[in-house]
Amino acid sequence: MTGASFATLFAWEWRRVAATPLFWLIQGALVASMIWAALDTAALHRGQDAAIARTLAADAAHRASVRQRFDAYRAPVTPAAPVVPYWQDPSDVAGFSQYFVAPPATKPHLPLSPLTVGTSDLAPTRMEVKLATPFGIDERYDFENPRGLALGRFDLAFVLALLLPLALILQHGLLVTFERDRGMLRLVAAQATAPRVWLTARVAAITAWAMPMTLAGLVLALAMAGAQLGSAVGELAAALLLVVAYMAFWTGIALLVLSRLPGAAAALGTLAAIWAVLTLGVPLIASAIISTVAPTPSASVWIDAQRRVADAIQRDRDRIIARAVAARPDLSGMADRIATLDHATRLTFLAPETERRFAARHDARAVHARDQAAWAAVIGYVAPPLGLTQMLATLAGTDGGRHRAFEAQVRAYQLGLRRSLYPLVQREAVDPTSRGASRGKFSLSDPDIIPAFAMTDAPSHRRTAVVLPFVAWLWFAGLTLGGLGLRRADRWAL
């Protein structure tokens, strides 16, 4: 007697799964969660985009106001219109550099940003760039409940990384064990069907329904959230590949657990334990080990060092400026006027000196951040839920790597502004402009010399290329686990 072929069993099981209300209840709840999560993320990002728009509008109004004042101060000095102090005079190059230069640097969201919140609720999307701010970053953030931030956001990455495996666990754990729990497994075995053929057909039928429905739900959720899918075809394709590979990984685990044909309670308990280990246990253990081996630099020590350096700079400011002037022959004209320099001119020497004294600590913090990111990437391969979250954030543009690139570009932008303005300020200190009959000093010829910041993102194909090794790893792990499971399914557990 010969058992039914795989094709025959698959066709039967495919129709049977389609007629199972439990499957559709689980799948419907999953898709509804995806839509809810995407809409929630989109609402957060719309609020951030609105804040960016307000910031840019305020900067445009500020620039217009500076230009208006610059033109108005051409009026001659009269008793009713006294000379303008330098810190209020946009035509004074020193006052302009310190009190009028604060252009915003913004990090716009990418087209697929509703995919995950990532670090977008932690890392600022806009910064105010001032010439004297150390390393270009002003570490000020809006207050938000730290417990809420620690809990994380309900976004698509959360649904896909944590809830999708639970949905697959329930679907496989309940539907594959149906005959075992109802004492019908002997009837199946009596048909002379090999257990691995029957198990493969059942799991394949469930996957054949679950996978396209999940992918369709993902696209629907992103579309409803307003993602610009037409502008992110590559990222969307990579996200779909990630989800397919991730489902293959969990299907392989299900095959391994179900290969001995356990009951529903045993199967669900084992699969849930594996889910808990991979989603919670491995990341927590790895985090504890890494924090012990490479502890995070103390924030209190950093703040104390800032205070100490600031105090030392203020005590020695004249000597610091004198050394800088002595090292540059082009500044010899101000050597006898160092004590009378204004605050803005002093900062052209003191700000770089502050950064020089902080460089070692700043570099150590940057190296630690890069090391933490590298460790997180490695742990993501051991704990695929964490890895999936990281890869989705990369595709969405809400990952830590993109924010570090943003900070690097802000720093480069600040240094460019310094190279443009600091020589003008120092040249004015060497050879001061004589004040004419106007209210302003007009040592600056044009206030429209500050270029707007524009973030440059890596091409989309680089983001998609980052996720491909992880996709390959998930497929390898899933096929390996599934193959081991099918090899174990060599006899009926009657």
Side-chain angles (χ1 to χ4, degrees), residues 165-166 169 250 253 257 265-279:
L166 290 179
I169 287 172
W250 282 101
I253 292 178
V257 172
L268 291 176
T270 303
L271 289 171
I274 295 173
W275 176 89
V277 169
L278 293 180
T279 59

Side-chain angles (χ1 to χ4, degrees), residues 17 40 50 56 150 159-160 192 200 260 288 303 376 399 431 437 478:
V17 171
D40 188 49
L56 295 177
V159 174
L160 294 174
T200 304
R260 292 306 185 192
I303 294 172
D399 57 307
D431 184 16

Side-chain angles (χ1 to χ4, degrees), residues 309-317 320 350 353-354 357:
V309 169
D311 291 345
I313 291 289
Q314 287 303 310
R315 284 195 307 267
D316 300 335
R317 61 183 186 179
I320 293 171
L350 301 183
E353 175 64 17
T354 300
R357 297 189 184 190

Side-chain angles (χ1 to χ4, degrees), residues 34-61:
M34 293 166 68
I35 294 173
W36 179 14
L39 293 175
D40 188 49
T41 303
L44 172 68
H45 290 171
R46 279 196 301 272
Q48 293 174 339
D49 288 338
I52 289 175
R54 290 193 299 270
T55 299
L56 295 177
D59 179 60

Side-chain angles (χ1 to χ4, degrees), residues 59 62-63 66 93 96-98 100-104 129 131 413-414 416-418 420-422 424 444 446-453:
D59 179 60
H62 170 70
R63 289 173 181 256
V66 170
V93 67
F96 178 81
S97 69
Q98 175 61 19
F100 291 89
V101 175
V129 183
L131 299 188
Y413 177 68
Q414 183 201 39
L417 295 181
R418 285 184 182 178
S420 174
L421 287 173
Y422 276 5
L424 299 180
L444 178 69
D446 185 3
D448 297 325
I449 62 174
I450 305 301
F453 176 87

Side-chain angles (χ1 to χ4, degrees), residues 194-220:
R196 63 169 56 94
V197 175
W198 174 81
L199 179 62
T200 304
R202 175 66 61 84
V203 172
I206 295 172
T207 304
W209 279 108
M211 190 170 290
M213 293 300 298
T214 301
L215 298 181
L218 174 58
V219 175
L220 175 63

Side-chain angles (χ1 to χ4, degrees), residues 241-319:
L241 284 175
L242 269 173
V243 174
V244 170
Y246 192 61
M247 294 182 72
F249 170 76
W250 282 101
T251 301
I253 292 178
L255 275 171
L256 183 62
V257 172
L258 296 169
S259 60
R260 292 306 185 192
L261 304 178
L268 291 176
T270 303
L271 289 171
I274 295 173
W275 176 89
V277 169
L278 293 180
T279 59
L280 300 175
V282 173
L284 287 176
I285 293 172
S287 177
I289 294 174
I290 293 173
S291 61
T292 301
V293 175
T296 303
S298 172
S300 60
V301 171
W302 171 258
I303 294 172
D304 183 63
Q306 286 181 312
R307 181 185 61 80
R308 291 176 182 273
V309 169
D311 291 345
I313 291 289
Q314 287 303 310
R315 284 195 307 267
D316 300 335
R317 61 183 186 179
D318 287 347
R319 283 194 293 271

